[in-house]
Amino acid sequence: MDAVESLQNAFVLVQDGIIVNYGEMNKCPNIDIEIIDLKDKWVLPAFVDSHTHLVFAAPRHNEYVMRIKGKTYAEIAAEGGGILNSAKKLHTLSEDQLFDMALKYANQAILNGTAALEIKSGYGLTTESEIKMLRVIKRLKSVLPITVKSTFLGAHAFPIEFKNNHQAYIDIIINEMLPIIAKEDLADFIDVFCDEGFYSVEETKQILDAAIQIGLKPKIHGNELGLTGGVQVAVEFNALSVDHLEHIGDEEIDCLKRSKTMPVALPGSSFFLKIPYTPARKIIDSGLPIALASDFNPGSSPNCNLWFIWSLACLYNGMTPTEALNALTINAANAMGISDTHGSVTIGKKANLMVTKAFEHINEMPYWFTQNHTERIFTSK
Ligand code: NIG
Ligand code: FE
């Protein structure tokens, strides 16, 4: 994970959105092309953000202040705040209003160097509102100049009226929501928040069993709040990724080693919620890969700038700058099933490239923290 190859004084040749050649400048083919001078700058594969909740109705700054005054994320959620608060607001907005807001955030992510986005539903929690969110994501897929993958996260929380009857809500997910999603082709992946106070392992299995039937591949929220079996269920269902992992023991690491499931760390939410950081160093030293994502959302990570995630990963997840770059590009592409076409400067891949500001060394990129070092971005979907 620590290897990043680079060339100095080099060219990249792009044709019809595909990388067709690269190499040292003296080997650059002498053809009629537009030449862009990038002296002292770097060309990196653009970032891939494999975990976002980019469609939402409003920020949750009230909860931010409640947490400053001492309440925990779990306490706020148990009182009907958190995800349920976002769902209440989302019911009142139209599809067009949500689309306009989401488009603004997606463009912000692109300007920060992101050229592929996974976006989840999960702030609807009724059939009507979950479908509304997924339709917004489908529209984003068609208008944005980047690859977007859609994840159905109807199992993000239990609506208040189903607090004491979980099965009734799970039945709605399975019997009402999934058939519409299949009919309108509204999702690529299925996600469940399998954690303490949210979905149990048994509840998660029921939902995954049904979602797999309509062709959705699992990506799981797991082990954010405790050692609750999220990793084991993700691996059992051959999930593309299991995300969060602030809590992870030897048993979970062994389980991941016997799988193709990508562990994903989300240091933005550790930072914002002041919870432990995923022990990426321990995970990598055990021989596993890891990916990084923003988890952009109004409750636990209101940031879509992956440059800042890069800095956090180095400072608090114990990753080297080059490990973190791989985690934000090729491994993140793997976590959203697009590593054949995205995540590296490779001949034949789609030309998703960014030009950075001038740096002497790659280590400087996360060192200058909180800035957007993207000077220009080229995208291809
Ligand atoms: O990944 N952990 C679950 N879901 C989101 C947070 C959602 C929210 O608080 O709105 C996350 O952190
Ligand atoms: Fe999340």
Side-chain angles (χ1 to χ4, degrees):
M1 272 201 65
D2 210 14
V4 170
E5 291 177 70
S6 64
L7 287 174
Q8 278 185 40
N9 193 19
F11 71 93
V12 183
L13 187 61
V14 172
Q15 239 166 17
D16 301 327
I18 302 288
I19 298 168
V20 293
N21 200 0
Y22 65 80
E24 280 160 8
M25 206 57 207
N26 56 15
K27 298 196 184 105
C28 185
N30 190 13
I31 51 176
D32 186 20
I33 45 173
E34 181 194 358
I35 301 214
I36 307 167
D37 184 2
L38 305 176
K39 191 171 177 334
D40 294 332
K41 300 176 183 179
W42 292 66
V43 176
L44 297 184
F47 295 135
V48 171
D49 201 344
S50 71
H51 181 142
T52 82
H53 308 250
L54 182 143
V55 179
F56 55 85
R60 301 217 303 264
H61 49 77
N62 52 331
E63 293 175 15
Y64 170 63
V65 176
M66 282 161 84
R67 284 191 296 99
I68 291 168
K69 292 185 175 165
K71 280 240 157 88
T72 67
Y73 180 77
E75 282 165 356
I76 295 167
E79 288 166 11
I83 295 164
L84 298 181
N85 184 3
S86 279
K88 208 185 298 165
K89 297 221 173 78
L90 192 132
H91 294 316
T92 66
L93 294 200
S94 70
E95 192 182 305
D96 285 345
Q97 284 171 312
L98 278 173
F99 174 77
D100 289 347
M101 284 180 71
L103 188 62
K104 195 182 77 186
Y105 295 128
N107 281 324
Q108 204 176 311
I110 295 170
L111 290 175
N112 280 288
T114 298
L117 273 172
E118 181 260 16
I119 309 175
K120 300 171 195 292
S121 71
Y123 291 130
L125 307 181
T126 62
T127 302
E128 193 191 338
S129 291
E130 282 296 313
I131 299 301
K132 180 165 71 179
M133 286 189 80
L134 291 168
R135 287 186 183 139
V136 168
I137 301 171
K138 194 167 181 177
R139 277 169 73 183
L140 292 171
K141 267 191 191 189
S142 76
V143 304
L144 287 171
I146 62 169
T147 295
V148 172
K149 294 283 181 188
S150 169
T151 300
F152 172 51
L153 177 57
H156 200 187
F158 285 101
I160 223 88
E161 57 277 30
F162 295 98
K163 201 174 166 194
N164 299 315
N165 188 0
H166 285 187
Q167 192 56 46
Y169 181 62
I170 293 171
D171 289 345
I172 293 174
I173 291 179
I174 294 175
N175 301 324
E176 278 186 19
M177 299 186 196
L178 286 177
I180 302 174
I181 292 165
K183 191 162 152 235
E184 292 186 29
D185 191 19
L186 288 174
D188 303 292
F189 307 129
I190 173 79
D191 194 347
V192 177
F193 188 12
C194 177
D195 222 317
E196 236 165 62
F198 290 85
Y199 285 74
S200 71
V201 166
E202 284 316 310
E203 291 166 346
T204 304
K205 283 184 180 177
Q206 260 195 74
I207 296 163
L208 295 185
D209 267 330
I212 284 169
Q213 300 287 321
I214 65 157
L216 306 185
K217 190 121 175 103
K219 278 172 73 67
I220 300 295
H221 273 79
N223 294 48
E224 176 182 0
L225 309 170
L227 281 174
T228 47
V231 168
Q232 287 84 343
V233 77
V235 167
E236 182 183 332
F237 282 81
N238 197 20
L240 215 38
S241 71
V242 56
D243 304 29
H244 271 293
L245 310 176
E246 287 83 350
H247 300 266
I248 183 164
D250 292 341
E251 197 186 314
E252 284 76 14
I253 288 181
D254 280 345
C255 183
L256 282 166
K257 281 170 90 168
R258 291 191 299 272
S259 80
K260 288 197 172 149
T261 301
M262 178 65 76
V264 180
L266 307 168
S269 45
S270 299
F271 173 78
F272 194 70
L273 297 183
K274 297 198 263 186
I275 61 174
Y277 283 81
T278 304
R281 182 77 268 133
K282 182 175 166 188
I283 293 173
I284 295 170
D285 289 345
S286 79
L288 284 167
I290 195 165
L292 288 160
S294 72
D295 195 15
F296 178 50
N297 76 76
S300 69
S301 189
N303 162 59
C304 64
N305 176 359
L306 288 171
W307 291 100
F308 183 50
I309 299 299
W310 191 349
S311 302
L312 288 178
C314 296
L315 290 168
Y316 299 110
N317 297 93
M319 298 172 77
T320 65
T322 35
E323 284 171 340
L325 176 58
N326 281 324
L328 287 162
T329 53
I330 187 67
N331 287 2
N334 182 279
M336 59 185 278
I338 56 169
S339 56
D340 288 347
T341 48
H342 290 70
S344 61
V345 184
T346 300
I347 291 172
K349 281 198 178 183
K350 292 184 191 291
N352 289 297
L353 304 166
M354 69 164 127
V355 176
T356 72
K357 294 180 179 151
F359 293 105
E360 246 175 48
H361 198 281
I362 203 164
N363 292 347
E364 266 186 88
M365 297 180 190
Y367 163 87
W368 298 107
F369 71 99
T370 75
Q371 296 179 40
N372 175 13
H373 299 308
T374 313
E375 204 155 80
R376 196 162 169 184
I377 181 154
F378 300 85
T379 67
S380 165
K381 66 196 241 195

